């Protein structure tokens, strides 16, 4: 049955500095760019807070990790266990495994493997890997992404971490490419569907294609300038999930203005009628 989940992105103005990973063309390697944000709550405190609020799982963006030492990862794992909360997915927010630049692609694959290692030590059940930034019509790039995802999925499986991808960034901006990746990788690879990432008039038809194959939904609402969701648009997406018989986490994504907890609660009110129903 569907259950309530949250992504750490929904609190990105509250969880301290964001440690973005970027590719540096000069050094030909990954670099970290830190964006200052206030720490109103720590990542270690978050699982207990969410459990008290009735959430059952959390998805954590990699740039919210303030530390990747063994001692910190074990502390983080313990906080999830103590709270009785699933660490459903570690969201790896960088990497272009579709790139035609062999050095860049192989470097990103190796970097992603490092985060799979981190996920395993922190107790995450999954990692989300971006399929690539290539144009969706680039069939060679799609094959490069299939090959990389097969390699990464096998690597993760050996450590007990499932690899999923998402309709996120250019290559998977159309549903058919999402399905082609699943077909190319078989049962090793999973999929997340985000309500907000397909665009245009074809959006709902695209979700109809991907949600039946998804083991996570990012329930992202479109919000106005005051942070209030477009209820009709959101409910239409939720009805697609309901008709598909979706039974995984409904992970609230709030990215609007104002108080983030209040924004989360506004989206939660729209999600709640669909919880615990087949």
């Amino acid at each position: 049955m569907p259950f309530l989940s949250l992504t750490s992105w929904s609190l990105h103005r509250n969880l301290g500095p964001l440690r973005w990973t970027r590719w540096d063309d000069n050094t030909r390697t990954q670099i970290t760019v830190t964006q200052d944000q206030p720490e109103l709550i720590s990542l270690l405190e978050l699982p207990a807070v969410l459990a008290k609020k009735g959430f059952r799982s959390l998805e954590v963006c990699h740039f919210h990790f303030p530390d990747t030492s063994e001692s910190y990862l074990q502390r983080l794992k313990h906080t999830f266990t103590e709270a009785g909360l699933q660490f459903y997915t570690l969201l790896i927010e960088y990497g272009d495994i579709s790139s035609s630049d062999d050095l860049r692609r192989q470097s990103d694959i190796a970097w992603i493997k490092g985060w799979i290692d981190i996920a395993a030590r922190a107790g995450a059940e999954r990692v989300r890997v971006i399929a690539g930034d290539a144009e969706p019509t680039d069939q060679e790039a799609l094959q490069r992404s299939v090959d990389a995802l097969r390699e990464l999925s096998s690597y993760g499986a050996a450590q007990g971490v499932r690899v999923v991808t998402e309709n996120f960034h250019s290559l998977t901006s159309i549903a058919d490419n999402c399905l082609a990746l699943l077909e190319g990788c078989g049962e090793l690879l999973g999929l997340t569907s985000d309500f907000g990432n397909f665009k245009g008039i074809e959006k709902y038809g695209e979700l109809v294609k991907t949600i039946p194959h998804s083991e996570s939904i990012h329930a992202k609402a479109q919000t106005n300038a005051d942070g209030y969701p477009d209820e009709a648009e959101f409910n239409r997406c939720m009805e697609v999930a309901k008709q598909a018989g979706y039974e995984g986490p409904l992970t609230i994504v709030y990215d609007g203005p104002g108080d983030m907890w209040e924004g989360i609660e506004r989206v939660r009110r729209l999600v709640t009628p669909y919880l615990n129903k087949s």
Side-chain angles (χ1 to χ4, degrees):
M1 292 184 180
F3 58 90
L4 193 64
S5 179
L6 189 74
T7 169
S8 64
W9 180 250
S10 294
L11 292 166
H12 67 83
R13 294 195 293 272
N14 297 16
L15 280 169
L18 307 178
R19 298 162 182 85
W20 299 98
T21 304
R22 299 285 185 257
W23 179 256
D24 188 309
D25 281 323
N26 293 320
T27 61
R28 303 290 287 161
T29 192
Q30 297 83 14
I31 60 172
T32 300
V33 178
T34 301
Q35 177 184 348
D36 287 335
Q37 297 281 356
E39 186 179 80
L40 306 181
I41 183 173
S42 73
L43 184 57
L44 292 174
E45 295 170 318
L46 188 55
V49 170
L50 291 181
K52 289 178 181 177
K53 289 178 176 288
F55 289 86
R56 285 180 45 189
S57 72
L58 174 64
E59 301 191 45
V60 181
C61 302
H62 90 271
F63 49 66
H64 279 139
F65 278 68
D67 187 356
T68 56
S69 66
E70 187 63 28
S71 60
Y72 180 84
L73 296 178
Q74 290 305 310
R75 287 174 65 197
L76 183 61
K77 183 177 181 179
H78 180 71
T79 64
F80 276 91
T81 302
E82 285 291 293
L85 198 78
Q86 281 182 272
F87 189 166
Y88 200 82
T89 311
L90 193 163
L91 301 166
I92 300 175
E93 301 283 354
Y94 163 83
D96 185 6
I97 59 174
S98 70
S99 175
S100 60
D101 180 337
D102 289 341
L103 188 151
R104 162 82 189 268
R105 187 176 67 258
Q106 293 303 325
S107 182
D108 281 356
I109 289 171
W111 182 89
I112 291 167
K113 286 180 178 178
W115 276 94
I116 292 174
D117 295 340
I118 290 167
R121 300 203 302 274
E125 298 175 11
R126 292 166 183 77
V127 296
R128 193 282 318 279
V129 175
I130 298 168
D133 294 324
E135 290 299 314
T137 55
D138 188 336
Q139 291 300 302
E140 292 182 357
L142 186 64
Q143 186 57 53
R144 287 192 293 269
S145 187
V146 167
D147 293 342
L149 286 168
R150 289 178 67 179
E151 178 181 346
L152 291 166
S153 296
S154 295
Y155 185 86
Q159 301 190 62
V161 177
R162 181 162 172 78
V163 170
V164 301
T165 193
E166 183 181 343
N167 62 325
F168 187 38
H169 288 215
S170 178
L171 188 65
T172 49
S173 61
I174 59 173
D176 286 347
N177 281 0
C178 296
L179 301 182
L181 293 172
L182 294 179
E183 183 178 358
C185 296
E187 294 183 358
L188 282 172
L189 182 68
L191 181 66
T192 292
S193 288
D194 187 305
F195 287 168
N197 289 350
F198 288 135
K199 306 297 183 183
I201 60 173
E202 302 298 327
K203 168 179 179 171
Y204 305 102
E206 300 282 80
L207 288 172
V208 166
K209 291 181 180 181
T210 63
I211 285 178
H213 303 279
S214 297
E215 52 200 66
S216 174
I217 283 178
H218 289 172
K220 182 188 296 177
Q222 306 303 305
T223 56
N224 64 19
D226 297 316
Y228 284 84
D230 182 334
E231 296 190 12
E233 196 279 339
F234 187 83
N235 286 336
R236 185 172 176 182
C237 294
M238 288 300 312
E239 284 297 322
V240 173
K242 180 180 179 180
Q243 292 302 315
Y246 174 77
E247 296 188 342
L250 292 168
T251 300
I252 292 175
V253 183
Y254 178 73
D255 191 25
D259 184 279
M260 301 205 84
W261 284 113
E262 292 179 3
I264 289 166
E265 287 303 313
R266 287 193 289 268
V267 180
R268 180 178 181 167
R269 284 195 289 272
L270 301 181
V271 170
T272 297
Y274 294 90
L275 297 174
N276 302 318
K277 294 181 180 180
S278 59

